[in-house]
Amino acid sequence: MYVETDFLTALLKEDDWLQDAAIRALEEHDDIHTSILAYAEVLVLFYDREAAEYEIDAPRAITNLLELVPIVPEDHEDAVLAAAAFLDEYDLTPFDALHAGLVTTGEERVLSTEQDYDTVGLDRISLEPAPSE
């Protein structure tokens, strides 16, 4: 059964109005899963420094959450784990962290203007405008 972001946040927050229902669903269904998109929304919540209710260790929380709610396809889990670390360690934006996580888990280079990718050790080719004639 596919779940989306409100299910994940119910499990993450200390006190959430849907927490009991989410836990009950985990007990009743053995095929709970989600996508990289739902985890992207969770990473955005971690990035919102103003939201005190999400002051959580992102890499640890994501690791624990993946044990309960895996991602399909499974290879996206490594990208989300890497993204959580990049968000925490390098202060990348959630979407840059996910792009970096996807590139890191493969054997690819990234073509981008984003210099933050250099700080996390990606093989980046600079995207630059064509020279004026």
Side-chain angles (χ1 to χ4, degrees), residues 66-92:
L66 283 169
E67 290 293 319
L68 299 172
V69 184
I71 296 173
V72 175
E74 187 178 333
D75 59 340
H76 284 181
E77 287 187 9
D78 290 336
V80 169
L81 287 168
F86 294 150
L87 189 75
D88 190 53
E89 293 176 35
Y90 299 101
D91 202 31
L92 265 62

PDB file of all heavy atoms in Angstrom, residues 66-92:
ATOM      1  N   LEU A  66      13.050   4.813   7.010  1.00  0.00           N
ATOM      2  CA  LEU A  66      13.153   3.858   5.898  1.00  0.00           C
ATOM      3  C   LEU A  66      12.963   2.410   6.357  1.00  0.00           C
ATOM      4  O   LEU A  66      12.537   1.568   5.576  1.00  0.00           O
ATOM      5  CB  LEU A  66      14.501   4.009   5.185  1.00  0.00           C
ATOM      6  CG  LEU A  66      14.614   5.202   4.251  1.00  0.00           C
ATOM      7  CD1 LEU A  66      16.052   5.413   3.811  1.00  0.00           C
ATOM      8  CD2 LEU A  66      13.698   5.043   3.046  1.00  0.00           C
ATOM      9  N   GLU A  67      13.285   2.140   7.616  1.00  0.00           N
ATOM     10  CA  GLU A  67      13.044   0.797   8.157  1.00  0.00           C
ATOM     11  C   GLU A  67      11.547   0.500   8.222  1.00  0.00           C
ATOM     12  O   GLU A  67      11.123  -0.633   8.056  1.00  0.00           O
ATOM     13  CB  GLU A  67      13.660   0.667   9.556  1.00  0.00           C
ATOM     14  CG  GLU A  67      15.169   0.651   9.563  1.00  0.00           C
ATOM     15  CD  GLU A  67      15.740  -0.583   8.901  1.00  0.00           C
ATOM     16  OE1 GLU A  67      15.204  -1.691   9.104  1.00  0.00           O
ATOM     17  OE2 GLU A  67      16.731  -0.433   8.154  1.00  0.00           O
ATOM     18  N   LEU A  68      10.760   1.537   8.472  1.00  0.00           N
ATOM     19  CA  LEU A  68       9.307   1.379   8.579  1.00  0.00           C
ATOM     20  C   LEU A  68       8.595   1.521   7.241  1.00  0.00           C
ATOM     21  O   LEU A  68       7.646   0.793   6.956  1.00  0.00           O
ATOM     22  CB  LEU A  68       8.737   2.416   9.554  1.00  0.00           C
ATOM     23  CG  LEU A  68       9.227   2.351  10.988  1.00  0.00           C
ATOM     24  CD1 LEU A  68       8.724   3.564  11.773  1.00  0.00           C
ATOM     25  CD2 LEU A  68       8.781   1.054  11.643  1.00  0.00           C
ATOM     26  N   VAL A  69       9.061   2.495   6.447  1.00  0.00           N
ATOM     27  CA  VAL A  69       8.395   2.808   5.182  1.00  0.00           C
ATOM     28  C   VAL A  69       9.457   2.851   4.075  1.00  0.00           C
ATOM     29  O   VAL A  69      10.078   3.883   3.833  1.00  0.00           O
ATOM     30  CB  VAL A  69       7.642   4.159   5.253  1.00  0.00           C
ATOM     31  CG1 VAL A  69       6.872   4.408   3.958  1.00  0.00           C
ATOM     32  CG2 VAL A  69       6.711   4.207   6.453  1.00  0.00           C
ATOM     33  N   PRO A  70       9.686   1.724   3.416  1.00  0.00           N
ATOM     34  CA  PRO A  70      10.691   1.692   2.351  1.00  0.00           C
ATOM     35  C   PRO A  70      10.242   2.451   1.108  1.00  0.00           C
ATOM     36  O   PRO A  70       9.062   2.750   0.940  1.00  0.00           O
ATOM     37  CB  PRO A  70      10.848   0.200   2.061  1.00  0.00           C
ATOM     38  CG  PRO A  70       9.591  -0.430   2.542  1.00  0.00           C
ATOM     39  CD  PRO A  70       9.064   0.437   3.648  1.00  0.00           C
ATOM     40  N   ILE A  71      11.221   2.740   0.266  1.00  0.00           N
ATOM     41  CA  ILE A  71      10.972   3.430  -0.999  1.00  0.00           C
ATOM     42  C   ILE A  71      10.987   2.413  -2.135  1.00  0.00           C
ATOM     43  O   ILE A  71      11.810   1.506  -2.172  1.00  0.00           O
ATOM     44  CB  ILE A  71      12.056   4.493  -1.265  1.00  0.00           C
ATOM     45  CG1 ILE A  71      11.991   5.583  -0.199  1.00  0.00           C
ATOM     46  CG2 ILE A  71      11.921   5.085  -2.665  1.00  0.00           C
ATOM     47  CD1 ILE A  71      13.123   6.587  -0.291  1.00  0.00           C
ATOM     48  N   VAL A  72      10.070   2.579  -3.049  1.00  0.00           N
ATOM     49  CA  VAL A  72      10.035   1.797  -4.283  1.00  0.00           C
ATOM     50  C   VAL A  72      10.252   2.775  -5.422  1.00  0.00           C
ATOM     51  O   VAL A  72       9.532   3.781  -5.503  1.00  0.00           O
ATOM     52  CB  VAL A  72       8.693   1.052  -4.427  1.00  0.00           C
ATOM     53  CG1 VAL A  72       8.611   0.337  -5.764  1.00  0.00           C
ATOM     54  CG2 VAL A  72       8.486   0.079  -3.267  1.00  0.00           C
ATOM     55  N   PRO A  73      11.253   2.579  -6.271  1.00  0.00           N
ATOM     56  CA  PRO A  73      12.200   1.470  -6.288  1.00  0.00           C
ATOM     57  C   PRO A  73      13.240   1.590  -5.177  1.00  0.00           C
ATOM     58  O   PRO A  73      13.599   2.689  -4.747  1.00  0.00           O
ATOM     59  CB  PRO A  73      12.854   1.561  -7.671  1.00  0.00           C
ATOM     60  CG  PRO A  73      12.766   2.995  -8.044  1.00  0.00           C
ATOM     61  CD  PRO A  73      11.504   3.510  -7.404  1.00  0.00           C
ATOM     62  N   GLU A  74      13.726   0.448  -4.747  1.00  0.00           N
ATOM     63  CA  GLU A  74      14.618   0.352  -3.592  1.00  0.00           C
ATOM     64  C   GLU A  74      15.918   1.139  -3.754  1.00  0.00           C
ATOM     65  O   GLU A  74      16.437   1.673  -2.777  1.00  0.00           O
ATOM     66  CB  GLU A  74      14.937  -1.120  -3.330  1.00  0.00           C
ATOM     67  CG  GLU A  74      15.715  -1.361  -2.071  1.00  0.00           C
ATOM     68  CD  GLU A  74      15.958  -2.832  -1.817  1.00  0.00           C
ATOM     69  OE1 GLU A  74      15.155  -3.678  -2.265  1.00  0.00           O
ATOM     70  OE2 GLU A  74      16.970  -3.131  -1.171  1.00  0.00           O
ATOM     71  N   ASP A  75      16.430   1.250  -4.974  1.00  0.00           N
ATOM     72  CA  ASP A  75      17.705   1.957  -5.162  1.00  0.00           C
ATOM     73  C   ASP A  75      17.596   3.453  -4.850  1.00  0.00           C
ATOM     74  O   ASP A  75      18.601   4.117  -4.647  1.00  0.00           O
ATOM     75  CB  ASP A  75      18.292   1.717  -6.547  1.00  0.00           C
ATOM     76  CG  ASP A  75      17.392   2.144  -7.686  1.00  0.00           C
ATOM     77  OD1 ASP A  75      16.178   2.285  -7.478  1.00  0.00           O
ATOM     78  OD2 ASP A  75      17.905   2.315  -8.803  1.00  0.00           O
ATOM     79  N   HIS A  76      16.386   3.987  -4.768  1.00  0.00           N
ATOM     80  CA  HIS A  76      16.213   5.390  -4.390  1.00  0.00           C
ATOM     81  C   HIS A  76      16.454   5.618  -2.898  1.00  0.00           C
ATOM     82  O   HIS A  76      16.659   6.751  -2.470  1.00  0.00           O
ATOM     83  CB  HIS A  76      14.821   5.886  -4.772  1.00  0.00           C
ATOM     84  CG  HIS A  76      14.688   6.162  -6.237  1.00  0.00           C
ATOM     85  ND1 HIS A  76      13.525   6.630  -6.790  1.00  0.00           N
ATOM     86  CD2 HIS A  76      15.568   6.060  -7.259  1.00  0.00           C
ATOM     87  CE1 HIS A  76      13.692   6.786  -8.096  1.00  0.00           C
ATOM     88  NE2 HIS A  76      14.922   6.440  -8.399  1.00  0.00           N
ATOM     89  N   GLU A  77      16.431   4.540  -2.104  1.00  0.00           N
ATOM     90  CA  GLU A  77      16.690   4.684  -0.673  1.00  0.00           C
ATOM     91  C   GLU A  77      18.090   5.232  -0.416  1.00  0.00           C
ATOM     92  O   GLU A  77      18.284   6.094   0.440  1.00  0.00           O
ATOM     93  CB  GLU A  77      16.484   3.363   0.057  1.00  0.00           C
ATOM     94  CG  GLU A  77      15.038   2.986   0.184  1.00  0.00           C
ATOM     95  CD  GLU A  77      14.800   1.761   1.051  1.00  0.00           C
ATOM     96  OE1 GLU A  77      15.753   1.277   1.714  1.00  0.00           O
ATOM     97  OE2 GLU A  77      13.651   1.291   1.083  1.00  0.00           O
ATOM     98  N   ASP A  78      19.080   4.734  -1.139  1.00  0.00           N
ATOM     99  CA  ASP A  78      20.453   5.219  -0.969  1.00  0.00           C
ATOM    100  C   ASP A  78      20.559   6.701  -1.318  1.00  0.00           C
ATOM    101  O   ASP A  78      21.277   7.453  -0.665  1.00  0.00           O
ATOM    102  CB  ASP A  78      21.430   4.407  -1.829  1.00  0.00           C
ATOM    103  CG  ASP A  78      21.607   2.987  -1.313  1.00  0.00           C
ATOM    104  OD1 ASP A  78      21.367   2.748  -0.106  1.00  0.00           O
ATOM    105  OD2 ASP A  78      21.980   2.115  -2.112  1.00  0.00           O
ATOM    106  N   ALA A  79      19.839   7.119  -2.339  1.00  0.00           N
ATOM    107  CA  ALA A  79      19.851   8.529  -2.728  1.00  0.00           C
ATOM    108  C   ALA A  79      19.258   9.402  -1.628  1.00  0.00           C
ATOM    109  O   ALA A  79      19.780  10.482  -1.330  1.00  0.00           O
ATOM    110  CB  ALA A  79      19.084   8.725  -4.038  1.00  0.00           C
ATOM    111  N   VAL A  80      18.186   8.947  -1.001  1.00  0.00           N
ATOM    112  CA  VAL A  80      17.552   9.717   0.075  1.00  0.00           C
ATOM    113  C   VAL A  80      18.454   9.750   1.309  1.00  0.00           C
ATOM    114  O   VAL A  80      18.578  10.787   1.962  1.00  0.00           O
ATOM    115  CB  VAL A  80      16.149   9.152   0.399  1.00  0.00           C
ATOM    116  CG1 VAL A  80      15.591   9.753   1.674  1.00  0.00           C
ATOM    117  CG2 VAL A  80      15.205   9.417  -0.764  1.00  0.00           C
ATOM    118  N   LEU A  81      19.099   8.644   1.626  1.00  0.00           N
ATOM    119  CA  LEU A  81      20.035   8.625   2.757  1.00  0.00           C
ATOM    120  C   LEU A  81      21.186   9.593   2.522  1.00  0.00           C
ATOM    121  O   LEU A  81      21.583  10.344   3.425  1.00  0.00           O
ATOM    122  CB  LEU A  81      20.567   7.212   2.983  1.00  0.00           C
ATOM    123  CG  LEU A  81      19.581   6.228   3.594  1.00  0.00           C
ATOM    124  CD1 LEU A  81      20.124   4.804   3.504  1.00  0.00           C
ATOM    125  CD2 LEU A  81      19.277   6.598   5.034  1.00  0.00           C
ATOM    126  N   ALA A  82      21.730   9.584   1.304  1.00  0.00           N
ATOM    127  CA  ALA A  82      22.810  10.521   0.966  1.00  0.00           C
ATOM    128  C   ALA A  82      22.302  11.960   1.040  1.00  0.00           C
ATOM    129  O   ALA A  82      22.989  12.837   1.571  1.00  0.00           O
ATOM    130  CB  ALA A  82      23.363  10.215  -0.430  1.00  0.00           C
ATOM    131  N   ALA A  83      21.112  12.200   0.540  1.00  0.00           N
ATOM    132  CA  ALA A  83      20.537  13.552   0.563  1.00  0.00           C
ATOM    133  C   ALA A  83      20.377  14.056   1.995  1.00  0.00           C
ATOM    134  O   ALA A  83      20.678  15.218   2.290  1.00  0.00           O
ATOM    135  CB  ALA A  83      19.192  13.566  -0.155  1.00  0.00           C
ATOM    136  N   ALA A  84      19.922  13.206   2.890  1.00  0.00           N
ATOM    137  CA  ALA A  84      19.763  13.610   4.294  1.00  0.00           C
ATOM    138  C   ALA A  84      21.110  14.000   4.890  1.00  0.00           C
ATOM    139  O   ALA A  84      21.211  14.983   5.633  1.00  0.00           O
ATOM    140  CB  ALA A  84      19.120  12.487   5.099  1.00  0.00           C
ATOM    141  N   ALA A  85      22.151  13.265   4.549  1.00  0.00           N
ATOM    142  CA  ALA A  85      23.491  13.593   5.041  1.00  0.00           C
ATOM    143  C   ALA A  85      23.978  14.908   4.444  1.00  0.00           C
ATOM    144  O   ALA A  85      24.545  15.741   5.152  1.00  0.00           O
ATOM    145  CB  ALA A  85      24.462  12.461   4.711  1.00  0.00           C
ATOM    146  N   PHE A  86      23.749  15.116   3.145  1.00  0.00           N
ATOM    147  CA  PHE A  86      24.169  16.360   2.492  1.00  0.00           C
ATOM    148  C   PHE A  86      23.416  17.562   3.066  1.00  0.00           C
ATOM    149  O   PHE A  86      23.989  18.631   3.241  1.00  0.00           O
ATOM    150  CB  PHE A  86      23.954  16.297   0.982  1.00  0.00           C
ATOM    151  CG  PHE A  86      24.816  15.294   0.276  1.00  0.00           C
ATOM    152  CD1 PHE A  86      24.370  14.666  -0.875  1.00  0.00           C
ATOM    153  CD2 PHE A  86      26.078  14.960   0.745  1.00  0.00           C
ATOM    154  CE1 PHE A  86      25.160  13.745  -1.545  1.00  0.00           C
ATOM    155  CE2 PHE A  86      26.881  14.035   0.088  1.00  0.00           C
ATOM    156  CZ  PHE A  86      26.419  13.427  -1.061  1.00  0.00           C
ATOM    157  N   LEU A  87      22.158  17.383   3.350  1.00  0.00           N
ATOM    158  CA  LEU A  87      21.345  18.436   3.951  1.00  0.00           C
ATOM    159  C   LEU A  87      21.917  18.827   5.313  1.00  0.00           C
ATOM    160  O   LEU A  87      22.054  20.010   5.622  1.00  0.00           O
ATOM    161  CB  LEU A  87      19.911  17.926   4.094  1.00  0.00           C
ATOM    162  CG  LEU A  87      18.827  18.885   4.509  1.00  0.00           C
ATOM    163  CD1 LEU A  87      18.476  19.792   3.342  1.00  0.00           C
ATOM    164  CD2 LEU A  87      17.591  18.110   4.935  1.00  0.00           C
ATOM    165  N   ASP A  88      22.280  17.820   6.077  1.00  0.00           N
ATOM    166  CA  ASP A  88      22.776  18.038   7.430  1.00  0.00           C
ATOM    167  C   ASP A  88      24.222  18.552   7.451  1.00  0.00           C
ATOM    168  O   ASP A  88      24.535  19.504   8.151  1.00  0.00           O
ATOM    169  CB  ASP A  88      22.673  16.719   8.206  1.00  0.00           C
ATOM    170  CG  ASP A  88      22.925  16.880   9.683  1.00  0.00           C
ATOM    171  OD1 ASP A  88      22.268  17.736  10.300  1.00  0.00           O
ATOM    172  OD2 ASP A  88      23.784  16.145  10.218  1.00  0.00           O
ATOM    173  N   GLU A  89      25.100  17.925   6.681  1.00  0.00           N
ATOM    174  CA  GLU A  89      26.530  18.237   6.733  1.00  0.00           C
ATOM    175  C   GLU A  89      26.942  19.443   5.893  1.00  0.00           C
ATOM    176  O   GLU A  89      27.852  20.176   6.266  1.00  0.00           O
ATOM    177  CB  GLU A  89      27.343  17.022   6.288  1.00  0.00           C
ATOM    178  CG  GLU A  89      27.251  15.848   7.233  1.00  0.00           C
ATOM    179  CD  GLU A  89      27.991  14.633   6.705  1.00  0.00           C
ATOM    180  OE1 GLU A  89      29.043  14.802   6.048  1.00  0.00           O
ATOM    181  OE2 GLU A  89      27.503  13.516   6.946  1.00  0.00           O
ATOM    182  N   TYR A  90      26.319  19.620   4.749  1.00  0.00           N
ATOM    183  CA  TYR A  90      26.753  20.655   3.808  1.00  0.00           C
ATOM    184  C   TYR A  90      25.725  21.763   3.610  1.00  0.00           C
ATOM    185  O   TYR A  90      25.933  22.660   2.804  1.00  0.00           O
ATOM    186  CB  TYR A  90      27.105  20.033   2.461  1.00  0.00           C
ATOM    187  CG  TYR A  90      28.230  19.040   2.550  1.00  0.00           C
ATOM    188  CD1 TYR A  90      27.971  17.676   2.570  1.00  0.00           C
ATOM    189  CD2 TYR A  90      29.553  19.466   2.625  1.00  0.00           C
ATOM    190  CE1 TYR A  90      29.004  16.757   2.653  1.00  0.00           C
ATOM    191  CE2 TYR A  90      30.586  18.551   2.707  1.00  0.00           C
ATOM    192  CZ  TYR A  90      30.304  17.199   2.720  1.00  0.00           C
ATOM    193  OH  TYR A  90      31.335  16.295   2.812  1.00  0.00           O
ATOM    194  N   ASP A  91      24.600  21.648   4.294  1.00  0.00           N
ATOM    195  CA  ASP A  91      23.541  22.656   4.215  1.00  0.00           C
ATOM    196  C   ASP A  91      23.049  22.882   2.785  1.00  0.00           C
ATOM    197  O   ASP A  91      22.725  23.993   2.392  1.00  0.00           O
ATOM    198  CB  ASP A  91      23.999  23.973   4.845  1.00  0.00           C
ATOM    199  CG  ASP A  91      22.833  24.836   5.279  1.00  0.00           C
ATOM    200  OD1 ASP A  91      21.784  24.268   5.644  1.00  0.00           O
ATOM    201  OD2 ASP A  91      22.953  26.070   5.234  1.00  0.00           O
ATOM    202  N   LEU A  92      23.013  21.807   2.002  1.00  0.00           N
ATOM    203  CA  LEU A  92      22.432  21.891   0.667  1.00  0.00           C
ATOM    204  C   LEU A  92      20.925  22.060   0.794  1.00  0.00           C
ATOM    205  O   LEU A  92      20.330  21.668   1.801  1.00  0.00           O
ATOM    206  CB  LEU A  92      22.722  20.622  -0.136  1.00  0.00           C
ATOM    207  CG  LEU A  92      23.936  20.627  -1.064  1.00  0.00           C
ATOM    208  CD1 LEU A  92      25.219  20.816  -0.294  1.00  0.00           C
ATOM    209  CD2 LEU A  92      23.980  19.358  -1.871  1.00  0.00           C
TER     210      LEU A  92
END
